[in-house]
Amino acid sequence: MEAEANAKVSSHGSAHAAEHELLLCCARTEADAETAARINKLASLKLDWEYLLRAAYRHALTALLYHQLNRHAPERVPPHYLSELKRRFQANAARNLFLTKELCRILRRFTSEGVPVVPYKGPALAVAAYGNLSLRHFIDLDILVPKREVLRAKELLLASGYRLEPPLTDAQQRVVLRTQHNLPFVSDQRLVVELHWEVAAKKFSDALDAEGMWERLQKVTLAGETVEALAPEDALPALCVHGSKHFW
């Protein structure tokens, strides 16, 4: 579905300038008066709403698109599309809350066992960058532990109902720990947790001080619980490395 949406969006090129501008105007948590007026004006044009929704999906901006249109131009959006955007917004918000509750459960388990752990990307980024858990799209959970704690962390995830995916022999696991930066786990509910000890493999990027960032952790609130998270000066380069790894 996602590949099909990407292909349809890419094939239209610059023929949808108004749709592209509207999506850019909505790609923010707050709109000043000038931007809000521009959103209202663009939404009043004869738009290809199917294309706009596909573009928003492709760029993971559906929640922000609904947030801004519903705030500044609800009467300009055809009811069918406003209703569909609302449905997608609510589904994303519900999933985000569910994932955040699961993340907090995992963090509590690690903390109770004395394993240092911080959430990475996912809900922590939604709160830090968007100020609203509902406005960011994420599909899995990422946690970061010191490299020395990886094996203990693995056992805690196994005890919490997760399994390595794909399974690894002891020899394969040693290679991964030496050359890579994370291990993926999955639950029977198809939840994915990635256990990181670095933000990227050393051969890809060694731009971050993996040990020093543990001394700069800051407190954030997730679903009413206070947890540790990366400081902005560590989170920003980490996200840049991650984005470049995925070709932005």
Side-chain angles (χ1 to χ4, degrees):
M1 178 179 178
E2 183 174 358
E4 180 182 355
N6 289 351
K8 288 180 178 179
V9 170
S10 298
S11 66
H12 285 76
S14 60
H16 291 81
E19 289 84 357
H20 294 164
E21 184 182 354
L22 178 56
L23 187 57
L24 287 171
C25 286
C26 291
R28 64 198 72 210
T29 57
E30 298 294 335
D32 58 24
E34 181 180 353
T35 304
R38 187 62 180 162
I39 289 172
N40 190 281
K41 182 175 181 179
L42 288 166
S44 68
L45 301 178
K46 187 176 181 180
L47 300 175
D48 184 339
W49 288 94
E50 289 287 346
Y51 175 85
L52 180 60
L53 265 64
R54 288 197 302 270
Y57 175 82
R58 179 191 181 193
H59 295 290
L61 292 172
T62 301
L64 285 172
L65 179 63
Y66 172 73
H67 176 68
Q68 295 296 351
L69 286 175
N70 188 56
R71 176 175 290 185
H72 301 297
E75 73 286 352
R76 304 293 192 186
V77 185
H80 167 73
Y81 292 107
L82 188 63
S83 177
E84 176 61 16
L85 282 169
K86 181 179 181 179
R87 183 191 69 78
R88 296 185 188 185
F89 176 88
Q90 291 176 333
N92 182 69
R95 179 172 175 78
N96 285 4
L97 183 58
F98 174 75
L99 287 173
T100 302
K101 290 288 189 181
E102 175 64 7
L103 174 63
C104 289
R105 182 181 77 90
I106 293 171
L107 296 178
R108 286 196 300 270
R109 181 74 179 265
F110 276 55
T111 300
S112 69
E113 296 293 334
V115 176
V117 60
V118 296
Y120 171 51
K121 301 183 292 180
L125 181 56
V127 171
Y130 292 64
N132 186 328
L133 194 62
S134 303
L135 296 180
R136 183 170 185 265
H137 176 75
F138 54 88
I139 59 175
D140 56 14
L141 298 172
D142 299 83
I143 57 176
L144 185 65
V145 301
K147 190 171 184 178
R148 66 181 183 275
E149 299 286 2
V150 170
L151 295 183
R152 286 182 67 200
K154 171 192 168 185
E155 294 306 316
L156 287 175
L157 283 172
L158 294 177
S160 298
Y162 289 85
R163 63 182 182 277
L164 265 174
E165 186 65 37
L168 298 175
T169 65
D170 289 344
Q172 290 171 329
Q173 180 174 280
R174 286 193 293 271
V175 171
V176 169
L177 290 175
R178 187 175 68 251
T179 63
Q180 298 301 315
H181 67 290
N182 72 315
L183 285 170
F185 293 77
V186 65
S187 73
D188 289 339
Q189 290 75 39
R190 300 175 66 86
L191 299 179
V192 176
V193 173
E194 290 193 356
L195 174 65
H196 297 255
W197 52 95
E198 302 276 0
V199 299
K202 288 293 186 183
K203 289 187 177 181
F204 183 84
S205 174
D206 194 20
L208 298 177
D209 175 13
E211 289 301 320
M213 65 186 180
W214 287 94
E215 301 173 1
R216 295 185 289 271
L217 298 178
Q218 297 185 359
K219 302 289 187 181
V220 299
T221 301
L222 293 178
E225 298 191 32
T226 300
V227 303
E228 303 274 14
L230 295 180
E233 58 266 35
D234 292 312
L236 180 58
L239 293 171
C240 289
V241 169
H242 182 75
S244 63
K245 183 177 69 175
H246 290 286
F247 302 104
W248 299 101

